[in-house]
Amino acid sequence: MAAVRISSRSGLPSLLLYLGIGIAMGQDGIFDVRFDNAELTQVIGYAALVVILAEGGLGTKWKEVRPALPAAAVLSTVGVGISVGVTASAAHHLVGLDWRQALIVGAVVSSTDAAAVFSVLRKVPLPSRITGVLEAESGFNDAPVVILVVAFSVAGPVEHWYVLVGEIALELAIGAAVGLAVGWLGAFGLRHVALPASGLYPIAVMAIAVSAYAAGAMVHGSGFLAVYLAAMVLGNSKLPHWPATRGFADGLGWMAQIGMFVLLGLLVTPHDLIADFWPAVVVGLVLTAVARPLSVFISLAPFRLPHREKALMSWAGLRGAVPIILATIPMVSGIEGSTRVFNIVFVLVIVYTLIQGPTLPWVAKALKISDDPSETADLGIESAPLERLRGHLLSVAVPGSSRMHGVEVAELRLPAGAAVTLVVRDDKSFVPAPSTVLRRGDELLVVATDPVRDATEARLRAVGEGGKLAGWLGTGGAPRASGPGRPADTPHLARLAKRLGKGGEDRPRDAAGDRRAHH
C-alpha cells in the first residue's frame, strides 16, 4: 500500500508505479517471470476497466456533470475521430507504419484513461465545468475507441467510414439505454428493499453496475458506456449506507488498477522497447501538441468555452492503462506488426503520463484556472431504511467548513415528521434541546418519516451551505409553506449573498475525509 500513498500524494497516476512493479517482476527484471499471454491480459484488463468505470461513475456528481454532458459527448465522438485521423497520419508518414497499424495506434491512444483522469483531476482544484467535461469524456470515449480498434484489428479490408460511424452510434445508443435502465431499476430496488446486513449494500451496488456491462454486451451495445451510466445513476440516487458503499467501490477500484497495471508490466519485454522509443515519442508529440488540441478546440467550438479552459482540457487528456489494454486487441487478432504497435503505445503512455500528470496543476496555475478551495464542504449524510416504521435514520457529519456551525437545532427548521434525536460531540452523546448550538465536528442522528426523507436531507444540506439564513440566501432546501415572517427565496438575494461572501451560489464539494459510515 506504500505505492498507493506515494501516487496519491505525488500527483502521478498510479500507472507508473504499478507498471514499474510489473516490469521489475517480468522479463529482464529481478524475478525474470516469463509472461506473454496477451489474451488473458486483455480479459483481465477488460474486467478491471469495468470496475474502474463503475467506481468513477459512482463518484460522479450528476449536478456537476449534467451541464457538461453535451460537450463531453461531442468530445468523446467527434473529438475521437479527429484525434484518430491526425495521429494515424503522423504514425504513417513520420514513423513508417502501414495504414492499418497507423489507424490502430491512432485509435488506441485517442482514449483518455478513466483511472488516470479520476485519480489526478480530483486532487486538482479545478472548476466543476472543466472536471465534469473531462470525467464524463473519460467515461464515454472508451466505447467508440474499442469499436474502432476492434474494426481495425479484424483480418481483411477495413469497413467504410460511414459503416463504422453507424455501428458506433447504434452501440452507444443501446449501451446508454441499457445503462440508464439498469441503474434506475437497481436504485429503485435498493431504496425499497431492506437487505439483512448493511455490508450487503456495497456488494449489491457493484453487482448491479457490473450486470449493466453484461446486459449491454449481450444486446450488442456498448458495455463500457452501460456500466458507467448505471454507476452514475446509482451514485446519485441517495442509496442507504452510501459512505460505506463509496469506500468499498474506491477500494475495489484501487485493486483493479494495481492488478491491471502489474499484469501489463509483466507482459512487456523491456529490451524490445528500445527500438520503438523514438517512434513512440514522435507519435506522442503529435498526439499531445496537435491531435488533442485540435480535437478539443474543434469539438468544443459550439459551446463557447474560454480558450484558456480549452487549452487546459487539451493538456489534461491523460492516457493510462486503457490504451495499453486496447493495444492487446491486434495482438490477439494476429495482426502483422501488432507487437510493435503494443511497444509504441506502451512507451508513449509512460513518457507522456510522466510529463502530463505532475505538470497539470502547474498548467492550471499558469492559465489562471482554479477553483476556490475554501468552498463549503459537503455534509456527509448516510441513510438507513426503517421498513416497519416507514422512516429513515440520517447520520449527519458536520465538517469543519460547514455553515451549520453555530446554528441552533430549532433553527434547522426541519420539515414536520423529522427531528434531531441525538448529537455526538467529543465522543459523548446527548439528546439535544431546541436551543442546542451545533458545532464543527458534531455528528447528528436525524429521524425522518419516509414522505419527508428527501426534503429533510435537502434542508440539512441547505443549512450546511447557508447557515441559519439559508432561506434568505436562496438555498432554502426543503420546500416549506410560506408564512408570516418567512421571506421568499429570490434571485437578487442570492446574488447579494454571493457579493457578501456568504456563498449564495456555493457548490458543495466532496469532502471525502468527512464522510464516515454510521450504523
Side-chain angles (χ1 to χ4, degrees):
M1 293 298 103
V4 175
R5 292 193 294 270
I6 293 172
S7 63
S8 63
R9 293 174 183 175
S10 65
L12 277 173
S14 54
L15 162 75
L16 299 179
L17 291 171
Y18 304 135
L19 278 180
I21 293 173
I23 293 173
M25 294 172 58
Q27 300 180 51
D28 299 342
I30 300 173
F31 300 101
D32 197 27
V33 176
R34 303 279 176 174
F35 180 79
D36 58 359
N37 194 331
E39 186 172 2
L40 177 61
T41 303
Q42 179 183 323
V43 171
I44 296 177
Y46 273 27
L49 181 57
V50 169
V51 175
I52 292 170
L53 285 172
E55 188 273 330
L58 291 174
T60 300
K61 293 186 177 181
W62 172 244
K63 61 184 177 183
E64 295 181 1
V65 172
R66 180 175 56 186
L69 281 181
V74 175
L75 190 56
S76 59
T77 50
V78 177
V80 164
I82 296 171
S83 180
V84 170
V86 174
T87 308
S89 298
H92 176 70
H93 294 292
L94 300 180
V95 177
L97 298 180
D98 65 41
W99 274 112
R100 182 186 292 273
Q101 297 169 0
L103 286 170
I104 292 174
V105 169
V108 164
V109 299
S110 294
S111 172
T112 55
D113 184 77
V117 170
F118 295 148
S119 64
V120 173
L121 288 186
R122 292 179 182 177
K123 297 178 180 66
V124 180
L126 297 177
S128 61
R129 61 182 175 274
I130 296 179
T131 57
V133 171
L134 292 173
E135 290 191 9
E137 179 205 7
S138 67
F140 292 164
N141 64 13
D142 289 335
V145 166
V146 168
I147 298 171
L148 287 175
V149 175
V150 171
F152 296 150
S153 301
V154 174
V158 178
E159 293 181 317
H160 295 293
W161 67 270
Y162 52 84
V163 177
L164 287 178
V165 171
E167 289 182 356
I168 291 173
L170 179 60
E171 291 195 22
L172 291 180
I174 295 174
V178 170
L180 294 174
V182 171
W184 185 86
L185 290 173
F188 179 84
L190 289 175
R191 283 198 303 265
H192 292 82
V193 176
L195 298 179
S198 61
L200 294 176
Y201 283 91
I203 299 174
V205 168
M206 291 302 296
I208 292 170
V210 173
S211 68
Y213 173 84
M218 286 179 62
V219 295
H220 303 289
S222 172
F224 293 120
L225 182 59
V227 67
Y228 182 73
L229 290 179
M232 187 189 299
V233 172
L234 291 168
N236 290 272
S237 298
K238 300 183 178 68
L239 299 179
H241 304 291
W242 180 244
T245 300
R246 190 72 188 90
F248 179 76
D250 190 49
L252 280 184
W254 274 109
M255 291 180 62
Q257 290 184 53
I258 293 171
M260 177 173 59
F261 295 160
V262 170
L263 195 61
L264 290 171
L266 283 171
L267 184 64
V268 74
T269 305
H271 67 259
D272 290 342
L273 301 178
I274 299 175
D276 295 314
F277 178 81
W278 288 113
V281 171
V282 171
V283 173
L285 183 61
V286 173
L287 170 67
T288 306
V290 181
R292 173 68 181 180
L294 275 178
S295 65
V296 170
F297 276 81
I298 294 176
S299 300
L300 300 184
F303 299 97
R304 298 181 180 178
L305 295 174
H307 290 315
R308 292 184 296 110
E309 296 186 2
K310 293 179 183 178
L312 182 62
M313 292 181 192
S314 300
W315 189 250
L318 303 176
R319 271 74 193 174
V322 173
I324 304 177
I325 293 172
L326 297 181
T328 64
I329 295 177
M331 296 177 69
V332 174
S333 302
I335 297 298
E336 182 180 355
S338 58
T339 301
R340 190 185 184 200
V341 168
F342 180 86
N343 291 339
I344 289 175
V345 172
F346 193 94
V347 173
L348 185 156
V349 167
I350 290 180
V351 170
Y352 287 93
T353 300
L354 183 61
I355 295 173
Q356 289 178 274
T359 58
L360 185 58
W362 179 85
V363 173
K365 183 178 180 180
L367 293 172
K368 299 181 180 179
I369 299 175
S370 63
D371 207 0
D372 183 5
S374 62
E375 281 190 72
T376 305
D378 198 5
L379 292 178
I381 300 180
E382 179 180 357
S383 171
L386 303 176
E387 291 297 320
R388 292 183 59 190
L389 301 179
R390 297 292 295 162
H392 296 265
L393 291 176
L394 304 181
S395 177
V396 184
V398 183
S401 56
S402 173
R403 294 193 176 111
M404 193 177 287
H405 173 79
V407 175
E408 295 183 4
V409 171
E411 292 173 330
L412 292 176
R413 292 182 296 161
L414 298 178
V420 179
T421 59
L422 196 69
V423 174
V424 179
R425 178 180 297 165
D426 299 328
D427 297 326
K428 296 180 180 179
S429 58
F430 59 92
V431 177
S435 59
T436 298
V437 179
L438 302 178
R439 300 178 183 174
R440 300 182 181 94
D442 284 354
E443 298 180 32
L444 318 179
L445 186 65
V446 180
V447 176
T449 58
D450 191 66
V452 299
R453 184 254 185 236
D454 290 341
T456 301
E457 180 172 340
R459 178 60 191 170
L460 289 169
R461 293 190 186 279
V463 177
E465 296 177 25
K468 62 181 68 179
L469 299 179
W472 284 93
L473 299 176
T475 57
R480 295 170 57 89
S482 300
R486 187 175 193 276
D489 295 334
T490 56
H492 74 275
L493 289 175
R495 291 192 295 270
L496 173 62
K498 184 179 180 182
R499 290 198 299 270
L500 293 174
K502 297 295 186 178
E505 296 182 4
D506 271 359
R507 174 179 53 82
R509 293 172 60 88
D510 184 14
D514 291 321
R515 292 177 179 266
R516 295 184 294 275
H518 301 270
H519 302 283

